[in-house]
Amino acid sequence: MSMLTPPGMGGKKYRVTGGRYPRMRRPRHRRRIALVAAASVCVLGLAGWGTAQLIDVFGGTSGTADAAPGKGRCRDDGAAGQHSAKPVAGKPLPKPGTLTVNVFNATPQGGLAKRTADELKKRGFKIGEVGNAPAAFDKKVKSAGVLVGPKAAVDGPLKVLGTQLAGAEQKTDDRADAELDLIIGDAFKELARPQDAEKSLTRLTHPAPAPSGSTKC
């Protein structure tokens, strides 16, 4: 190899003329191909995204949440809340002093009927008969108690008496008078605390209004 042969020329001999030498840089066509391919991918991606956006807008899917308040959107239920706050129409609830309550003990524990009747009397109820439960209930009440009254007492007197004993069952029969029975069961501990019973009675007569402007999702 001649001393004038540049490296990388494969051993070929060249005659050097003038003051210029052959260029040895690599061809650039591969780099151009890679850049063109990358640019094409970016352009296609942007075009696809723009097409999807146009379809979404003109197809109406983007306005679904606004058009249908009940689907995936919180809506203002202030008007509905104000409507539900109105008390249910009907007869006013009776005062405890207008109700006569018979207190019966269906448990083996003695003295419960008398103590319970005395407490109800302090709270303003009229007390009728006090004693052991009738055979239909005696030793058969597993809950805290059973409240029994005429069918007409379901929406009034029985609700008022129910505020005094949490967890009591309510039943009706065909009795001719308006007296109520409070039958003490095995789970009975004591009557509701006076303040709790008063709160329950207040909620019956004056239902708490729903918050104005509340939202439902």
Side-chain angles (χ1 to χ4, degrees), residues 133-210:
F137 294 98
D138 193 28
K139 311 297 188 297
K140 299 176 183 178
V141 179
K142 303 303 180 183
S143 62
V146 178
L147 309 180
V148 187
K151 292 182 175 63
V154 171
D155 293 328
L158 282 176
K159 285 187 176 181
V160 174
L161 182 58
T163 62
Q164 308 300 314
L165 181 57
E169 304 173 60
Q170 295 187 11
K171 296 180 179 294
T172 61
D173 56 18
D174 296 326
R175 65 184 63 192
D177 56 42
E179 293 185 357
L180 307 177
D181 296 342
L182 189 156
I183 303 173
I184 300 172
D186 293 338
F188 177 85
K189 300 297 182 182
E190 60 183 2
L191 292 175
R193 297 185 303 172
Q195 57 268 36
D196 293 336
E198 188 64 29
K199 289 179 181 178
S200 298
L201 188 58
T202 300
R203 284 195 294 268
L204 285 177
T205 54
H206 300 89

Side-chain angles (χ1 to χ4, degrees), residues 13-161:
K13 296 181 179 181
Y14 292 84
R15 177 176 296 178
V16 179
T17 60
R20 300 180 62 185
Y21 289 89
R23 296 185 178 182
M24 305 303 297
R25 66 176 59 176
R26 296 178 181 178
R28 297 183 178 180
H29 62 278
R30 292 183 181 178
R31 184 180 301 176
R32 291 196 185 97
I33 293 174
L35 292 175
V36 170
S40 300
V41 171
C42 293
V43 170
L44 290 175
L46 290 174
W49 180 81
T51 302
Q53 293 298 313
L54 289 175
I55 293 174
D56 186 37
V57 170
F58 290 101
T61 56
S62 63
T64 302
D66 293 334
K71 296 182 180 180
R73 180 188 177 191
C74 292
R75 59 189 178 90
D76 191 347
D77 272 354
Q82 293 174 2
H83 178 73
S84 61
K86 295 180 180 179
V88 179
K91 297 180 180 179
L93 293 175
K95 300 293 184 180
T98 64
L99 304 179
T100 299
V101 182
N102 304 314
V103 184
F104 300 117
N105 184 8
T107 75
Q109 184 178 350
L112 287 180
K114 178 67 168 58
R115 292 199 299 271
T116 303
D118 290 344
E119 182 61 29
L120 286 175
K121 186 175 182 179
K122 293 178 183 178
R123 301 183 184 189
F125 291 88
K126 293 181 179 179
I127 303 301
E129 185 178 352
V130 178
N132 294 326
F137 294 98
D138 193 28
K139 311 297 188 297
K140 299 176 183 178
V141 179
K142 303 303 180 183
S143 62
V146 178
L147 309 180
V148 187
K151 292 182 175 63
V154 171
D155 293 328
L158 282 176
K159 285 187 176 181
V160 174
L161 182 58

